[in-house]
Amino acid sequence: GVIDRVIELERTHRVVALRGNHEQMMMDSRGGPGLLPTWLLNGGEEALASYAPEGRKGTLDDVPRAHWNFLDHVCVDWFETDDFIFVHGGLAPHLSLPEQPIPVLRWQKLTPAMKPHFSGKAMICGHTVQPSGVPLDLGHAVCIDTGVYLPQGWLTCLDVEEGTCWQANQKGETRTLHLD
């Protein structure tokens, strides 16, 4: 449903979809039976179930061609504006964007010791869950993964220009906060 919604939004809005570690695992799962179990243990089972007819376990064959096309050709590894770089995981601070290793972009965790990117642009990322439910703001990097899948987690949307965050949780509650 999420991929369908993003594809639909692309028809009327400018949408940039970032490719992360779960998309990578899903894409890799097509490469052979040895790669599928890793994805299945990390959300793949639930993802495939969402594609399956009622009462049947999902398989890779249930995934629509449009969704594979979205993952393979629409999603990007990074997006850059005048002031920000958006990635799923992280950045090697000394490398230009085209030189970034894919594992860093998709799998790297954000730590307080991470150095700023040489470009001077702030990195906006996910992937490193913030169990507090509040984004981690290091000044040169902001992580907005606030653990929506956790019992007390939140889904976070950030206006990078204003520093305003809008959040919603699984109970349907919403809140707004501002990064300092």
Side-chain angles (χ1 to χ4, degrees):
V2 172
I3 293 176
D4 284 336
R5 179 71 175 135
V6 174
I7 291 170
E8 183 64 30
L9 282 171
E10 285 184 309
R11 294 187 180 130
T12 57
H13 297 79
R14 181 167 187 236
V15 175
V16 178
L18 294 174
R19 191 177 295 114
N21 60 313
H22 288 271
E23 291 78 16
Q24 183 67 57
M25 286 186 285
M26 183 176 179
M27 293 163 57
D28 288 350
S29 70
R30 297 174 293 180
L35 298 172
L36 182 60
T38 299
W39 180 50
L40 292 176
L41 291 172
N42 290 283
E45 190 171 322
E46 294 84 354
L48 286 179
S50 73
Y51 290 109
E54 189 70 33
R56 183 169 72 72
K57 259 187 153 177
T59 69
L60 293 173
D61 292 333
D62 294 320
V63 179
R65 185 170 300 165
H67 288 204
W68 290 120
N69 182 68
F70 175 81
L71 295 170
D72 291 332
H73 304 293
V74 176
C75 291
V76 296
D77 294 322
W78 48 267
F79 179 72
E80 180 180 26
T81 67
D82 289 341
D83 299 315
F84 301 96
I85 299 171
F86 300 85
V87 295
H88 176 75
L91 289 172
H94 60 287
L95 296 176
S96 69
L97 292 175
E99 296 173 305
Q100 293 290 322
I102 295 300
V104 170
L105 293 167
R106 297 189 189 151
W107 291 92
Q108 183 172 297
K109 299 280 189 185
L110 180 64
T111 67
M114 184 176 284
K115 297 199 179 329
H117 191 258
F118 78 89
S119 68
K121 297 179 181 188
M123 177 183 73
I124 310 299
C125 67
H127 190 66
T128 306
V129 67
Q130 305 303 307
S132 67
V134 177
L136 174 62
D137 183 1
L138 301 177
H140 65 278
V142 177
C143 178
I144 62 170
D145 182 342
T146 48
V148 67
Y149 59 89
L150 298 172
Q152 303 300 318
W154 293 86
L155 179 65
T156 298
C157 175
L158 170 64
D159 177 334
V160 295
E161 299 293 337
E162 300 295 325
T164 303
C165 295
W166 294 273
Q167 296 184 305
N169 66 19
Q170 295 180 41
K171 299 174 192 169
E173 299 168 328
T174 60
R175 67 184 186 187
T176 303
L177 54 99
H178 192 80
L179 300 178
D180 294 328

